[in-house]
PDB file of all heavy atoms in Angstrom:
ATOM      1  N   GLY A   1     -12.936 -86.613   1.437  1.00 92.00           N
ATOM      2  CA  GLY A   1     -13.772 -86.064   2.493  1.00 92.00           C
ATOM      3  C   GLY A   1     -13.694 -84.555   2.496  1.00 92.00           C
ATOM      4  O   GLY A   1     -12.959 -83.949   1.697  1.00 92.00           O
ATOM      5  N   PRO A   2     -14.454 -83.887   3.380  1.00 92.00           N
ATOM      6  CA  PRO A   2     -14.451 -82.422   3.441  1.00 92.00           C
ATOM      7  C   PRO A   2     -13.057 -81.886   3.744  1.00 92.00           C
ATOM      8  O   PRO A   2     -12.347 -82.426   4.596  1.00 92.00           O
ATOM      9  CB  PRO A   2     -15.428 -82.114   4.586  1.00 92.00           C
ATOM     10  CG  PRO A   2     -16.259 -83.351   4.733  1.00 92.00           C
ATOM     11  CD  PRO A   2     -15.376 -84.491   4.356  1.00 92.00           C
ATOM     12  N   VAL A   3     -12.677 -80.814   3.063  1.00 95.00           N
ATOM     13  CA  VAL A   3     -11.352 -80.214   3.257  1.00 95.00           C
ATOM     14  C   VAL A   3     -11.444 -78.727   3.594  1.00 95.00           C
ATOM     15  O   VAL A   3     -10.731 -78.247   4.482  1.00 95.00           O
ATOM     16  CB  VAL A   3     -10.477 -80.403   1.994  1.00 95.00           C
ATOM     17  CG1 VAL A   3      -9.181 -79.601   2.103  1.00 95.00           C
ATOM     18  CG2 VAL A   3     -10.158 -81.873   1.782  1.00 95.00           C
ATOM     19  N   ALA A   4     -12.299 -77.990   2.927  1.00 95.00           N
ATOM     20  CA  ALA A   4     -12.322 -76.526   3.043  1.00 95.00           C
ATOM     21  C   ALA A   4     -12.537 -76.066   4.479  1.00 95.00           C
ATOM     22  O   ALA A   4     -11.785 -75.223   4.993  1.00 95.00           O
ATOM     23  CB  ALA A   4     -13.406 -75.951   2.137  1.00 95.00           C
ATOM     24  N   GLY A   5     -13.565 -76.621   5.150  1.00 96.00           N
ATOM     25  CA  GLY A   5     -13.857 -76.199   6.520  1.00 96.00           C
ATOM     26  C   GLY A   5     -12.732 -76.493   7.487  1.00 96.00           C
ATOM     27  O   GLY A   5     -12.219 -75.578   8.168  1.00 96.00           O
ATOM     28  N   PRO A   6     -12.294 -77.749   7.606  1.00 96.00           N
ATOM     29  CA  PRO A   6     -11.199 -78.052   8.517  1.00 96.00           C
ATOM     30  C   PRO A   6      -9.891 -77.368   8.140  1.00 96.00           C
ATOM     31  O   PRO A   6      -9.097 -77.012   9.019  1.00 96.00           O
ATOM     32  CB  PRO A   6     -11.067 -79.577   8.450  1.00 96.00           C
ATOM     33  CG  PRO A   6     -11.915 -80.025   7.339  1.00 96.00           C
ATOM     34  CD  PRO A   6     -12.898 -78.964   7.055  1.00 96.00           C
ATOM     35  N   LEU A   7      -9.658 -77.139   6.846  1.00 97.00           N
ATOM     36  CA  LEU A   7      -8.434 -76.448   6.435  1.00 97.00           C
ATOM     37  C   LEU A   7      -8.434 -75.017   6.950  1.00 97.00           C
ATOM     38  O   LEU A   7      -7.408 -74.523   7.452  1.00 97.00           O
ATOM     39  CB  LEU A   7      -8.316 -76.458   4.910  1.00 97.00           C
ATOM     40  CG  LEU A   7      -7.147 -75.656   4.329  1.00 97.00           C
ATOM     41  CD1 LEU A   7      -5.812 -76.179   4.840  1.00 97.00           C
ATOM     42  CD2 LEU A   7      -7.181 -75.673   2.802  1.00 97.00           C
ATOM     43  N   THR A   8      -9.567 -74.337   6.836  1.00 97.00           N
ATOM     44  CA  THR A   8      -9.661 -72.969   7.340  1.00 97.00           C
ATOM     45  C   THR A   8      -9.385 -72.920   8.837  1.00 97.00           C
ATOM     46  O   THR A   8      -8.639 -72.060   9.331  1.00 97.00           O
ATOM     47  CB  THR A   8     -11.051 -72.387   7.051  1.00 97.00           C
ATOM     48  OG1 THR A   8     -11.291 -72.398   5.644  1.00 97.00           O
ATOM     49  CG2 THR A   8     -11.172 -70.960   7.567  1.00 97.00           C
ATOM     50  N   THR A   9      -9.985 -73.854   9.577  1.00 97.00           N
ATOM     51  CA  THR A   9      -9.762 -73.900  11.025  1.00 97.00           C
ATOM     52  C   THR A   9      -8.305 -74.202  11.346  1.00 97.00           C
ATOM     53  O   THR A   9      -7.715 -73.612  12.261  1.00 97.00           O
ATOM     54  CB  THR A   9     -10.664 -74.962  11.666  1.00 97.00           C
ATOM     55  OG1 THR A   9     -12.017 -74.734  11.291  1.00 97.00           O
ATOM     56  CG2 THR A   9     -10.552 -74.916  13.185  1.00 97.00           C
ATOM     57  N   THR A  10      -7.692 -75.111  10.591  1.00 97.00           N
ATOM     58  CA  THR A  10      -6.285 -75.448  10.802  1.00 97.00           C
ATOM     59  C   THR A  10      -5.391 -74.235  10.591  1.00 97.00           C
ATOM     60  O   THR A  10      -4.479 -73.966  11.392  1.00 97.00           O
ATOM     61  CB  THR A  10      -5.854 -76.582   9.851  1.00 97.00           C
ATOM     62  OG1 THR A  10      -6.649 -77.731  10.089  1.00 97.00           O
ATOM     63  CG2 THR A  10      -4.388 -76.931  10.067  1.00 97.00           C
ATOM     64  N   LEU A  11      -5.633 -73.483   9.520  1.00 97.00           N
ATOM     65  CA  LEU A  11      -4.833 -72.295   9.240  1.00 97.00           C
ATOM     66  C   LEU A  11      -5.001 -71.250  10.330  1.00 97.00           C
ATOM     67  O   LEU A  11      -4.041 -70.549  10.698  1.00 97.00           O
ATOM     68  CB  LEU A  11      -5.215 -71.713   7.877  1.00 97.00           C
ATOM     69  CG  LEU A  11      -4.888 -72.596   6.663  1.00 97.00           C
ATOM     70  CD1 LEU A  11      -5.422 -71.951   5.385  1.00 97.00           C
ATOM     71  CD2 LEU A  11      -3.393 -72.839   6.559  1.00 97.00           C
ATOM     72  N   MET A  12      -6.205 -71.145  10.890  1.00 97.00           N
ATOM     73  CA  MET A  12      -6.430 -70.208  11.993  1.00 97.00           C
ATOM     74  C   MET A  12      -5.652 -70.634  13.235  1.00 97.00           C
ATOM     75  O   MET A  12      -5.045 -69.801  13.913  1.00 97.00           O
ATOM     76  CB  MET A  12      -7.930 -70.122  12.299  1.00 97.00           C
ATOM     77  CG  MET A  12      -8.749 -69.453  11.212  1.00 97.00           C
ATOM     78  SD  MET A  12     -10.536 -69.540  11.511  1.00 97.00           S
ATOM     79  CE  MET A  12     -10.663 -68.632  13.055  1.00 97.00           C
ATOM     80  N   PHE A  13      -5.649 -71.925  13.527  1.00 97.00           N
ATOM     81  CA  PHE A  13      -4.866 -72.414  14.656  1.00 97.00           C
ATOM     82  C   PHE A  13      -3.375 -72.182  14.427  1.00 97.00           C
ATOM     83  O   PHE A  13      -2.640 -71.819  15.362  1.00 97.00           O
ATOM     84  CB  PHE A  13      -5.134 -73.903  14.884  1.00 97.00           C
ATOM     85  CG  PHE A  13      -6.299 -74.190  15.782  1.00 97.00           C
ATOM     86  CD1 PHE A  13      -7.375 -74.946  15.331  1.00 97.00           C
ATOM     87  CD2 PHE A  13      -6.326 -73.727  17.089  1.00 97.00           C
ATOM     88  CE1 PHE A  13      -8.456 -75.216  16.155  1.00 97.00           C
ATOM     89  CE2 PHE A  13      -7.404 -73.986  17.926  1.00 97.00           C
ATOM     90  CZ  PHE A  13      -8.469 -74.741  17.462  1.00 97.00           C
ATOM     91  N   MET A  14      -2.906 -72.404  13.201  1.00 97.00           N
ATOM     92  CA  MET A  14      -1.488 -72.182  12.901  1.00 97.00           C
ATOM     93  C   MET A  14      -1.105 -70.722  13.136  1.00 97.00           C
ATOM     94  O   MET A  14      -0.060 -70.431  13.735  1.00 97.00           O
ATOM     95  CB  MET A  14      -1.199 -72.595  11.454  1.00 97.00           C
ATOM     96  CG  MET A  14      -1.259 -74.093  11.226  1.00 97.00           C
ATOM     97  SD  MET A  14      -1.276 -74.569   9.452  1.00 97.00           S
ATOM     98  CE  MET A  14       0.303 -73.918   8.915  1.00 97.00           C
ATOM     99  N   ALA A  15      -1.947 -69.813  12.672  1.00 97.00           N
ATOM    100  CA  ALA A  15      -1.679 -68.390  12.888  1.00 97.00           C
ATOM    101  C   ALA A  15      -1.688 -68.056  14.375  1.00 97.00           C
ATOM    102  O   ALA A  15      -0.834 -67.300  14.863  1.00 97.00           O
ATOM    103  CB  ALA A  15      -2.717 -67.545  12.144  1.00 97.00           C
ATOM    104  N   GLY A  16      -2.642 -68.653  15.104  1.00 97.00           N
ATOM    105  CA  GLY A  16      -2.717 -68.408  16.540  1.00 97.00           C
ATOM    106  C   GLY A  16      -1.481 -68.905  17.278  1.00 97.00           C
ATOM    107  O   GLY A  16      -0.969 -68.234  18.188  1.00 97.00           O
ATOM    108  N   LEU A  17      -0.975 -70.070  16.886  1.00 96.00           N
ATOM    109  CA  LEU A  17       0.236 -70.604  17.512  1.00 96.00           C
ATOM    110  C   LEU A  17       1.415 -69.660  17.304  1.00 96.00           C
ATOM    111  O   LEU A  17       2.202 -69.419  18.233  1.00 96.00           O
ATOM    112  CB  LEU A  17       0.553 -71.981  16.935  1.00 96.00           C
ATOM    113  CG  LEU A  17      -0.371 -73.126  17.346  1.00 96.00           C
ATOM    114  CD1 LEU A  17      -0.097 -74.367  16.502  1.00 96.00           C
ATOM    115  CD2 LEU A  17      -0.198 -73.461  18.829  1.00 96.00           C
ATOM    116  N   LEU A  18       1.542 -69.123  16.095  1.00 96.00           N
ATOM    117  CA  LEU A  18       2.642 -68.205  15.818  1.00 96.00           C
ATOM    118  C   LEU A  18       2.490 -66.900  16.590  1.00 96.00           C
ATOM    119  O   LEU A  18       3.461 -66.394  17.182  1.00 96.00           O
ATOM    120  CB  LEU A  18       2.715 -67.916  14.315  1.00 96.00           C
ATOM    121  CG  LEU A  18       3.146 -69.083  13.418  1.00 96.00           C
ATOM    122  CD1 LEU A  18       3.096 -68.667  11.958  1.00 96.00           C
ATOM    123  CD2 LEU A  18       4.532 -69.585  13.788  1.00 96.00           C
ATOM    124  N   VAL A  19       1.295 -66.360  16.594  1.00 97.00           N
ATOM    125  CA  VAL A  19       1.056 -65.076  17.268  1.00 97.00           C
ATOM    126  C   VAL A  19       1.315 -65.181  18.766  1.00 97.00           C
ATOM    127  O   VAL A  19       1.856 -64.245  19.392  1.00 97.00           O
ATOM    128  CB  VAL A  19      -0.395 -64.604  17.001  1.00 97.00           C
ATOM    129  CG1 VAL A  19      -0.749 -63.427  17.907  1.00 97.00           C
ATOM    130  CG2 VAL A  19      -0.550 -64.210  15.543  1.00 97.00           C
ATOM    131  N   ILE A  20       0.974 -66.308  19.358  1.00 96.00           N
ATOM    132  CA  ILE A  20       1.120 -66.466  20.810  1.00 96.00           C
ATOM    133  C   ILE A  20       2.525 -66.902  21.201  1.00 96.00           C
ATOM    134  O   ILE A  20       3.169 -66.286  22.066  1.00 96.00           O
ATOM    135  CB  ILE A  20       0.084 -67.469  21.347  1.00 96.00           C
ATOM    136  CG1 ILE A  20      -1.335 -66.931  21.162  1.00 96.00           C
ATOM    137  CG2 ILE A  20       0.343 -67.771  22.825  1.00 96.00           C
ATOM    138  CD1 ILE A  20      -2.423 -67.936  21.495  1.00 96.00           C
ATOM    139  N   PHE A  21       3.029 -67.953  20.566  1.00 96.00           N
ATOM    140  CA  PHE A  21       4.233 -68.599  21.099  1.00 96.00           C
ATOM    141  C   PHE A  21       5.545 -68.066  20.537  1.00 96.00           C
ATOM    142  O   PHE A  21       6.582 -68.222  21.187  1.00 96.00           O
ATOM    143  CB  PHE A  21       4.136 -70.117  20.900  1.00 96.00           C
ATOM    144  CG  PHE A  21       3.139 -70.753  21.812  1.00 96.00           C
ATOM    145  CD1 PHE A  21       1.876 -71.110  21.349  1.00 96.00           C
ATOM    146  CD2 PHE A  21       3.442 -70.979  23.152  1.00 96.00           C
ATOM    147  CE1 PHE A  21       0.952 -71.682  22.201  1.00 96.00           C
ATOM    148  CE2 PHE A  21       2.517 -71.545  24.005  1.00 96.00           C
ATOM    149  CZ  PHE A  21       1.265 -71.904  23.536  1.00 96.00           C
ATOM    150  N   VAL A  22       5.555 -67.442  19.363  1.00 95.00           N
ATOM    151  CA  VAL A  22       6.803 -66.844  18.888  1.00 95.00           C
ATOM    152  C   VAL A  22       7.240 -65.706  19.806  1.00 95.00           C
ATOM    153  O   VAL A  22       8.391 -65.684  20.265  1.00 95.00           O
ATOM    154  CB  VAL A  22       6.668 -66.376  17.426  1.00 95.00           C
ATOM    155  CG1 VAL A  22       7.889 -65.557  17.011  1.00 95.00           C
ATOM    156  CG2 VAL A  22       6.519 -67.574  16.495  1.00 95.00           C
ATOM    157  N   PRO A  23       6.370 -64.730  20.135  1.00 94.00           N
ATOM    158  CA  PRO A  23       6.797 -63.687  21.079  1.00 94.00           C
ATOM    159  C   PRO A  23       7.162 -64.246  22.454  1.00 94.00           C
ATOM    160  O   PRO A  23       8.127 -63.768  23.087  1.00 94.00           O
ATOM    161  CB  PRO A  23       5.565 -62.763  21.167  1.00 94.00           C
ATOM    162  CG  PRO A  23       4.808 -63.015  19.917  1.00 94.00           C
ATOM    163  CD  PRO A  23       5.007 -64.459  19.611  1.00 94.00           C
ATOM    164  N   LEU A  24       6.399 -65.231  22.944  1.00 95.00           N
ATOM    165  CA  LEU A  24       6.720 -65.816  24.249  1.00 95.00           C
ATOM    166  C   LEU A  24       8.098 -66.475  24.226  1.00 95.00           C
ATOM    167  O   LEU A  24       8.892 -66.325  25.169  1.00 95.00           O
ATOM    168  CB  LEU A  24       5.663 -66.851  24.636  1.00 95.00           C
ATOM    169  CG  LEU A  24       4.300 -66.316  25.075  1.00 95.00           C
ATOM    170  CD1 LEU A  24       3.332 -67.479  25.332  1.00 95.00           C
ATOM    171  CD2 LEU A  24       4.429 -65.462  26.331  1.00 95.00           C
ATOM    172  N   ALA A  25       8.395 -67.204  23.150  1.00 94.00           N
ATOM    173  CA  ALA A  25       9.690 -67.880  23.050  1.00 94.00           C
ATOM    174  C   ALA A  25      10.830 -66.880  22.957  1.00 94.00           C
ATOM    175  O   ALA A  25      11.870 -67.048  23.610  1.00 94.00           O
ATOM    176  CB  ALA A  25       9.689 -68.807  21.838  1.00 94.00           C
ATOM    177  N   LEU A  26      10.652 -65.818  22.167  1.00 92.00           N
ATOM    178  CA  LEU A  26      11.702 -64.818  22.030  1.00 92.00           C
ATOM    179  C   LEU A  26      11.933 -64.066  23.341  1.00 92.00           C
ATOM    180  O   LEU A  26      13.080 -63.762  23.697  1.00 92.00           O
ATOM    181  CB  LEU A  26      11.346 -63.846  20.910  1.00 92.00           C
ATOM    182  CG  LEU A  26      11.321 -64.422  19.487  1.00 92.00           C
ATOM    183  CD1 LEU A  26      10.860 -63.379  18.488  1.00 92.00           C
ATOM    184  CD2 LEU A  26      12.688 -64.962  19.113  1.00 92.00           C
ATOM    185  N   ARG A  27      10.868 -63.789  24.052  1.00 92.00           N
ATOM    186  CA  ARG A  27      11.004 -63.109  25.345  1.00 92.00           C
ATOM    187  C   ARG A  27      11.724 -63.999  26.354  1.00 92.00           C
ATOM    188  O   ARG A  27      12.620 -63.554  27.063  1.00 92.00           O
ATOM    189  CB  ARG A  27       9.634 -62.705  25.880  1.00 92.00           C
ATOM    190  CG  ARG A  27       9.681 -61.937  27.207  1.00 92.00           C
ATOM    191  CD  ARG A  27       8.285 -61.547  27.655  1.00 92.00           C
ATOM    192  NE  ARG A  27       7.616 -60.727  26.667  1.00 92.00           N
ATOM    193  CZ  ARG A  27       6.342 -60.313  26.783  1.00 92.00           C
ATOM    194  NH1 ARG A  27       5.622 -60.678  27.854  1.00 92.00           N
ATOM    195  NH2 ARG A  27       5.812 -59.569  25.862  1.00 92.00           N
ATOM    196  N   ALA A  28      11.330 -65.275  26.398  1.00 92.00           N
ATOM    197  CA  ALA A  28      11.981 -66.206  27.321  1.00 92.00           C
ATOM    198  C   ALA A  28      13.449 -66.399  26.956  1.00 92.00           C
ATOM    199  O   ALA A  28      14.318 -66.523  27.835  1.00 92.00           O
ATOM    200  CB  ALA A  28      11.250 -67.552  27.304  1.00 92.00           C
ATOM    201  N   TYR A  29      13.743 -66.408  25.651  1.00 89.00           N
ATOM    202  CA  TYR A  29      15.131 -66.545  25.199  1.00 89.00           C
ATOM    203  C   TYR A  29      15.968 -65.339  25.628  1.00 89.00           C
ATOM    204  O   TYR A  29      17.120 -65.485  26.078  1.00 89.00           O
ATOM    205  CB  TYR A  29      15.145 -66.701  23.688  1.00 89.00           C
ATOM    206  CG  TYR A  29      16.499 -66.560  23.056  1.00 89.00           C
ATOM    207  CD1 TYR A  29      17.554 -67.414  23.385  1.00 89.00           C
ATOM    208  CD2 TYR A  29      16.752 -65.542  22.113  1.00 89.00           C
ATOM    209  CE1 TYR A  29      18.795 -67.288  22.802  1.00 89.00           C
ATOM    210  CE2 TYR A  29      17.989 -65.417  21.523  1.00 89.00           C
ATOM    211  CZ  TYR A  29      19.007 -66.280  21.878  1.00 89.00           C
ATOM    212  OH  TYR A  29      20.244 -66.145  21.302  1.00 89.00           O
TER     213      TYR A  29
END
């Protein structure tokens, strides 16, 4: 099945999770 489109979106979500929650977790820690 299609891979390129959903893979790009998945990688964007992964980057967003890191950008948002890593600083939040470190600050809370």
